[in-house]
Amino acid sequence: MDSENPRDGDFELVTLRNGSRAVRHLGHGEVMHPSVGPWQEALRLYVEQPRLAERLRTPGEPLVIHDVGLGAATNAVAALTCARELGAERRRALELVSFEVDLAPLRLALADAAGFPFLQPFHEAAEALMRDGVWESEGMRWRLHLGDAQGLIDSGLPKADLVFFDPFSPASNPEMWTARVLSQVRACCREDGEGALLLTYSAATPTRVTLLLAGFYVGAGVSTGTKGETTVGATRRESLALPLGERWLERWRRSSSRAPHGEPLTPELEARVLAHPQWRGG
């Protein structure tokens, strides 16, 4: 085994230009959390952007996160770290449900304590998750759905307040970005209260079209690394800080990438995008 780039199955560890360690798929070559490194991206996109700490300070039912694409558990552990660091300020439990088809990235990251130091406080939790499928402690519950994340509706999940949507890119993992799968994700989102937010790194036009077709309201998300912006889906338009509007719609009409992921843009799909209640907002 290469001591610099240890491998496990289809994955290897690599060092980014900024010195951060990350996981790369040996087949398509895609790196998890490129550019800024995994921890900074996880904090910015999935903890700070949805104001997770503020949500956990607000009394209520357990806050439910669907973590679609566990990978090396960076996003999941960022949420767990936020919850633990709040201490007595936290007024509600955290229920985290992670989906993954291959635990090799997590095994690699856990074995590299120096490269992934942020995982170490939850090393035993991650080991329990892989062994038992669940870990519980201090008002936190972390569950694993190992296998294809498609078919979420049939899994009896608690409704999500937040969705961390972080599979490999549409180019590398196209089946996870279809309207069919994202509609299933949408069906598992909370409708009452504040509704739910879906957070993802992709700002591609096809991603946003697919989210609209799946029933989400869609807005621009925060920047990260070399990405000027990311994307937020919501079950309620008023939950979006920067909802897409007429300007985006006009650009979409002129775009060469108007179709959703995985299928052509038919007249029926185009009509559905144009009839979306997104455009009737304020």
Side-chain angles (χ1 to χ4, degrees), residues 187-203:
C188 292
C189 287
R190 177 181 292 277
E191 298 282 357
D192 60 343
E194 294 183 54
L197 293 180
L198 176 148
L199 312 156
T200 188
Y201 60 86
S202 174

Side-chain angles (χ1 to χ4, degrees), residues 37-251:
W39 190 240
Q40 292 306 315
E41 181 168 295
L43 292 176
R44 182 160 173 76
L45 258 64
Y46 302 109
V47 173
E48 296 166 6
Q49 179 171 223
R51 308 182 325 279
L52 181 58
E54 181 181 325
R55 290 169 180 266
L56 290 171
R57 288 190 187 101
T58 305
E61 299 176 352
L63 186 142
V64 178
I65 298 174
H66 292 175
D67 172 41
V68 183
L70 171 68
T74 309
N75 301 334
V77 167
L80 293 168
T81 300
C82 175
R84 178 174 282 178
E85 288 180 347
L86 284 173
E89 292 183 47
R90 180 160 57 91
R91 304 296 301 280
R92 62 197 295 196
L94 176 63
E95 175 94 9
L96 179 61
V97 186
S98 292
F99 298 85
E100 187 52 77
V101 295
D102 192 335
L103 295 176
L106 180 53
R107 289 193 297 266
L108 283 168
L110 288 175
D112 185 1
F116 297 82
F118 46 84
L119 296 183
Q120 293 310 302
F122 288 93
H123 191 287
E124 291 184 7
E127 293 284 0
L129 185 79
M130 291 190 290
R131 182 183 64 247
D132 306 325
V134 64
W135 169 82
E136 294 186 72
S137 176
E138 305 166 355
M140 297 181 283
R141 187 166 187 248
W142 188 12
R143 287 193 283 155
L144 174 65
H145 278 245
L146 185 60
D148 199 333
Q150 301 178 43
L152 298 176
I153 293 175
D154 301 323
S155 56
L157 292 173
K159 297 291 188 181
D161 296 280
L162 298 173
V163 178
F164 297 171
F165 196 76
D166 195 23
F168 279 118
S169 72
S172 301
N173 191 11
E175 63 274 8
M176 279 301 296
W177 295 83
T178 62
R180 183 179 68 83
V181 170
L182 283 165
S183 293
Q184 292 177 348
V185 173
R186 172 67 177 79
C188 292
C189 287
R190 177 181 292 277
E191 298 282 357
D192 60 343
E194 294 183 54
L197 293 180
L198 176 148
L199 312 156
T200 188
Y201 60 86
S202 174
T205 297
T207 296
R208 293 175 170 183
V209 172
T210 309
L211 285 166
L212 289 166
L213 291 171
F216 286 97
Y217 293 90
V218 181
V222 296
S223 63
T224 175
T226 57
K227 290 182 178 291
E229 61 185 34
T230 52
T231 297
V232 180
T235 56
R236 299 188 172 200
R237 189 181 188 278
E238 57 269 26
S239 299
L240 295 170
L242 296 168
L244 304 183
E246 286 295 331
R247 185 178 176 186
W248 181 88
L249 197 58
E250 284 302 318
R251 287 204 307 269

